[in-house]
Amino acid sequence: MYEAFRQTEETTVRVSLALEGEGIEIDVPVGFLGHMLELLLFNAGVYGRIEARGDTHVDDHHTVEDVAITLGRALKELWTSRQIERYGWAAVPMDETLVLAAVDASGRGSLSWKGCFPSPKCGNFDTELIPEFWRAFSREAALTLHLQALSVDNSHHLAEATFKAVGRALKQALKSSERPSSTKGAII
């Protein structure tokens, strides 16, 4: 089990992840984020629990960002503890939306985001928080993450396709490998 905890004046977040087991439990006060997190873990083949409390009476920003930070830290513990394939990618269609995700577990966290949401909200959720989530996640997980929306029909499909695509790319990158992940002999 790989765990991370974060507590601030604005949020409290706890994440536990495992590659073996059963079940995904998400307990966060932002319903849309909870749905996306379940899709991410399911498509990555990762089991675990994510629970958060936050100042959502202000808005969802602090909770979304702190969940991404904590999830990224737990994932970094998971991937740096073993020899992995390192690279993964996926192209995920959802109706007329198509998203490409590519991951390099490089030890150098960065995000390249190319996409525009056609509406500012999915229900009550601010779509501008999706790239913010991925920026914090990739930084803390020490992953190079590329996300590109090749076509978009609506904001919900774009958000959902990004979480599914990253999950599928992570599933490839996190596979155990008999060979070293780098010719350098070490990534981090």
Side-chain angles (χ1 to χ4, degrees):
M1 190 70 66
Y2 302 90
E3 298 181 322
F5 178 75
R6 177 175 171 84
Q7 186 165 12
T8 70
E9 295 295 319
E10 301 160 336
T11 66
T12 301
V13 182
R14 183 178 311 275
V15 175
S16 302
L17 301 177
L19 291 173
E20 295 181 4
E22 57 182 68
I24 296 170
E25 294 179 51
I26 310 292
D27 182 12
V28 298
V30 182
F32 188 79
L33 176 64
H35 176 48
M36 296 299 112
L37 292 169
E38 184 177 12
L39 296 172
L40 173 66
L41 294 185
F42 176 83
N43 282 279
V46 174
Y47 304 95
R49 180 169 175 71
I50 300 171
E51 60 183 303
R53 296 292 168 260
D55 60 353
T56 53
H57 62 282
V58 175
D59 74 5
D60 296 339
H61 184 99
H62 299 138
T63 302
V64 171
E65 185 174 39
D66 284 4
V67 166
I69 288 169
T70 311
L71 178 59
R73 289 177 181 170
L75 191 73
K76 182 180 178 186
E77 292 298 316
L78 185 153
W79 80 257
T80 58
S81 69
R82 40 199 290 281
Q83 199 161 283
I84 60 169
E85 287 291 327
R86 180 177 169 178
Y87 300 102
W89 68 275
V92 172
M94 291 202 60
D95 294 340
E96 288 81 41
T97 294
L98 178 61
V99 170
L100 175 65
V103 170
D104 176 8
S106 62
R108 298 177 300 276
S110 67
L111 172 68
S112 174
W113 169 271
K114 292 185 181 167
C116 291
F117 285 92
S119 63
K121 292 197 177 277
C122 283
N124 295 328
F125 187 84
D126 293 325
T127 55
E128 69 181 5
L129 296 177
I130 301 291
E132 289 299 317
F133 176 92
W134 292 122
R135 190 169 291 108
F137 172 81
S138 60
R139 181 186 67 238
E140 298 298 323
L143 302 170
T144 300
L145 175 60
H146 288 260
L147 278 166
Q148 188 169 1
L150 302 175
S151 63
V152 179
D153 66 342
N154 68 61
S155 291
H156 188 105
H157 287 164
L158 177 53
E160 192 166 330
T162 64
F163 280 83
K164 288 178 176 180
V166 172
R168 292 193 169 262
L170 283 172
K171 188 173 191 173
Q172 289 177 22
L174 297 176
K175 279 185 184 172
S176 292
S177 176
E178 306 242 343
R179 297 175 37 178
S181 301
S182 171
T183 56
K184 298 176 196 175
I187 295 177
I188 292 182

